[in-house]
Amino acid sequence: MRVLVTGAASGIGRATCLRLARDTRAAGTKAQVAAVDIGPSPGMDGLVQDLRTLGAEALPLQGDMGTADAPGRVVEEAVKRFGGLDGLVSNAGVNRPGALVDYSVEDWDRLFAVNTRATWLLAKAAFPALKTAGGSIVSVCSMSGSFAHAGLGAYGPSKAAAVMLVKVLAQEFGREGIRVNGVSPGMVRTGMTEKVYQDAAIAAARDALVPLGRVATPEDMADAIAYLLSPDARYVNGHDLVVDGGITGNFLGRLPGLGQIPRG
């Protein structure tokens, strides 16, 4: 498995890299993982060490997915190092909460650049390698792309666009043997949301909203991503897999703690 994962240093991206490395080792082969994040960090250093412990070849790369050139550059570097690419996971995302009436154009454009446009640019750049390999793309979307939440600024619109982008890419790339799917997480404890869960009352209230009784972990999302990349999902294309413990079927409008989610 030769795979590139963005937003890899923490949360869902980190869990995905490790899950793919474990799966590949269990199959008796060696994973090659291009782990991309916006800059150097202790989290990336730890991920690289953990991947190497699992017998994987780790290629740490830096790039701001909100720029026009970084997505293509990191794909080029990964393909050059690995000789090809079997999987692409577009996971990097940002959030800048706020009321739309007060929202800035700068924040709007930043969210669409990272949360939507980056997936398109990554897919464009990876297309030749993925076509050769018969590979697969997974974009990490969000339940906020299908269910409206007040106060999150451009986050919901950018994720709604990401869901549609997955479907359009699947129509175009599928004819070339490349599957494209999305994973829409519900509530997940990640670095972006951890501040919310420091409030015990909010954490309990969120757990109670989920029919399965708990907020998700990054590993829950990594399992779904690994499935969509795997041969077991060989006939799944253009699907947005909602992984939310059932909360969207029990949706109550405004989630506790939305105002505490930090800018990212």
Side-chain angles (χ1 to χ4, degrees):
M1 166 66 79
R2 301 165 297 180
V3 63
L4 183 147
V5 181
T6 67
S10 63
I12 294 170
R14 174 185 175 83
T16 297
C17 291
L18 296 176
R19 169 64 196 260
L20 295 174
R22 286 193 295 268
D23 286 354
T24 305
R25 182 178 67 172
T29 56
K30 180 179 181 178
Q32 295 175 293
V33 181
V36 182
D37 217 279
I38 195 167
S41 68
M44 178 61 80
D45 294 341
L47 172 63
V48 168
Q49 182 58 52
D50 288 345
L51 287 170
R52 290 172 178 166
T53 298
L54 289 168
E57 178 183 350
L59 174 63
L61 297 172
Q62 298 175 25
D64 181 352
M65 293 299 103
T67 65
D69 64 319
R73 175 178 54 78
V74 296
V75 168
E76 181 180 2
E77 291 183 37
V79 170
K80 182 178 179 180
R81 173 72 168 268
F82 300 154
L85 206 60
D86 303 302
L88 166 65
V89 180
S90 180
N91 168 69
V94 293
N95 190 18
R96 295 183 177 179
L100 290 176
V101 70
D102 301 317
Y103 217 63
S104 71
V105 172
E106 178 187 2
D107 285 350
W108 180 277
D109 288 348
R110 176 65 177 170
L111 264 66
F112 270 86
V114 178
N115 296 349
T116 310
R117 188 182 70 181
T119 296
W120 167 54
L121 294 175
L122 288 163
K124 283 181 66 177
F127 177 82
L130 292 173
K131 180 179 178 180
T132 297
S136 179
I137 299 171
V138 176
S139 173
V140 178
C141 303
S142 172
M143 70 173 184
S144 294
S146 301
F147 294 85
H149 303 101
L152 285 184
Y155 187 75
S158 70
K159 290 297 188 176
V163 171
M164 182 53 67
L165 176 60
V166 161
K167 296 178 183 295
V168 175
L169 286 172
Q171 292 293 312
E172 297 187 7
F173 284 26
R175 298 187 181 280
E176 304 297 337
I178 304 168
R179 296 182 300 104
V180 186
N181 293 288
V183 167
S184 276
M187 296 182 293
V188 187
R189 292 190 72 149
T190 67
M192 183 184 293
T193 62
E194 186 58 33
K195 180 180 177 182
V196 173
Y197 296 101
Q198 297 304 310
D199 185 314
I202 290 176
R206 287 191 163 209
D207 283 342
L209 283 176
V210 184
L212 289 182
R214 65 172 179 86
V215 168
T217 67
E219 288 72 24
D220 294 322
M221 302 305 126
D223 291 348
I225 293 167
Y227 161 69
L228 289 173
L229 289 175
S230 78
D232 289 344
R234 60 190 174 274
Y235 204 64
V236 182
N237 187 42
H239 182 63
D240 177 42
L241 179 60
V242 178
V243 186
D244 68 350
I247 189 174
T248 51
N250 188 35
F251 187 63
L252 299 178
R254 184 172 178 86
L255 299 176
L258 278 182
Q260 297 185 30
I261 296 175
R263 292 165 59 91

